[in-house]
Amino acid sequence: PFSKILCACNSNDFTFRAITLCDATKSSHMLKTVSDAINIQVPYNFERLLYFAGGVEYSLLMSQIYSGQHVALNNLNLAQTLALEAVRVDDQRTLEAISFFSHDNFIPDPHTAVALAATQDQGWCNTDLRDSISTVVVLATAHARKFKDVVLPVVGEERWRTYIGNSSDPLLPSNHLSFNRISPDEDLTLAQQRWEQQLRNLLEDASLWDV
């Protein structure tokens, strides 16, 4: 159970405008950002939000949005209907969040940093997630190593190498600690194959489950 969902986006802010300003107009162009995997003019799953909000011709609205028409959602308040909030995070705040939340055992990738910055900017936590009044869950979908060109200049060479070579992960059982170990020179394709096999082993390890 949760009370609200916070949607974080970068400067390509369709989600922020649709939820906060009830403006679902497609922007004329897409901006380059350091969190480029979420650079998008219209989110693919926005139609689902319209569907779950109910009472609207969501297919017609999506056609109007994609055609570039001005689309106002004044009669469909997504924030209230679906208990959503939204925050727009620019590149400077993204880099600040990478720096702030980084330590030897964790460095956020730029997209996770967008979400972390949003929790701070929205007042869900003052400084650190551990200081929040209630539990805040941030969904992270990428590893910082994939975005080394963005992350390394922020955290520095020493912290980067410490993080990449650190094999301890308190979220994993002791017999699976090697899951997070990455050699700085390891081929990413081979690493992915190894991770997949280790993940299968982790899920199949009967000793971890109350069965």
Side-chain angles (χ1 to χ4, degrees), residues 169-187:
D169 189 336
L171 299 179
L172 297 174
S174 58
N175 58 325
H176 288 281
L177 288 180
S178 63
F179 184 79
N180 198 41
R181 182 185 299 144
I182 309 170
S183 169
D185 301 320
E186 185 174 9
D187 179 81

Side-chain angles (χ1 to χ4, degrees), residues 124-174:
W124 287 20
C125 63
N126 294 325
T127 55
D128 195 332
L129 292 178
R130 290 167 294 185
D131 296 331
S132 58
I133 297 175
S134 57
T135 300
V136 177
V137 177
V138 175
L139 300 184
T141 58
H143 194 284
R145 185 176 182 183
K146 187 176 180 181
F147 306 93
K148 180 179 178 179
D149 57 332
V150 175
V151 175
L152 178 57
V154 177
V155 302
E157 186 72 32
E158 182 177 357
R159 170 158 287 180
W160 175 260
R161 287 193 169 275
T162 300
Y163 171 62
I164 293 300
N166 198 331
S167 62
S168 63
D169 189 336
L171 299 179
L172 297 174
S174 58

Side-chain angles (χ1 to χ4, degrees), residues 30-204:
M30 188 162 57
L31 301 174
K32 175 67 175 175
T33 71
V34 297
S35 51
D36 54 4
I38 53 175
N39 287 347
I40 192 167
Q41 290 172 281
V42 181
Y44 304 126
N45 56 3
F46 184 69
E47 186 172 359
R48 296 182 184 181
L49 293 184
L50 297 178
Y51 171 81
F52 286 120
V56 296
E57 294 289 341
Y58 57 89
S59 296
L60 175 60
L61 274 177
M62 291 304 299
S63 296
Q64 294 173 340
I65 291 171
Y66 280 120
S67 67
Q69 298 181 44
H70 175 70
V71 178
L73 302 177
N74 296 328
N75 296 325
L76 183 68
N77 192 318
L78 295 176
Q80 293 182 359
T81 306
L82 300 177
L84 300 176
E85 295 182 11
V87 173
R88 174 176 52 204
V89 177
D90 62 21
D91 280 357
Q92 180 178 346
R93 281 291 295 123
T94 301
L95 299 178
E96 289 173 354
I98 292 175
S99 177
F100 181 85
F101 286 98
S102 291
H103 52 74
D104 289 348
N105 292 317
F106 175 71
I107 293 178
D109 76 281
H111 311 85
T112 305
V114 168
L116 290 169
T119 64
Q120 291 181 310
D121 294 351
Q122 197 69 354
W124 287 20
C125 63
N126 294 325
T127 55
D128 195 332
L129 292 178
R130 290 167 294 185
D131 296 331
S132 58
I133 297 175
S134 57
T135 300
V136 177
V137 177
V138 175
L139 300 184
T141 58
H143 194 284
R145 185 176 182 183
K146 187 176 180 181
F147 306 93
K148 180 179 178 179
D149 57 332
V150 175
V151 175
L152 178 57
V154 177
V155 302
E157 186 72 32
E158 182 177 357
R159 170 158 287 180
W160 175 260
R161 287 193 169 275
T162 300
Y163 171 62
I164 293 300
N166 198 331
S167 62
S168 63
D169 189 336
L171 299 179
L172 297 174
S174 58
N175 58 325
H176 288 281
L177 288 180
S178 63
F179 184 79
N180 198 41
R181 182 185 299 144
I182 309 170
S183 169
D185 301 320
E186 185 174 9
D187 179 81
L188 288 179
T189 301
L190 295 178
Q192 180 176 346
Q193 294 173 354
R194 177 171 60 81
W195 291 341
E196 289 177 357
Q197 185 57 54
Q198 287 182 296
L199 180 57
R200 290 178 185 276
N201 295 340
L202 177 64
L203 294 175
E204 293 172 359

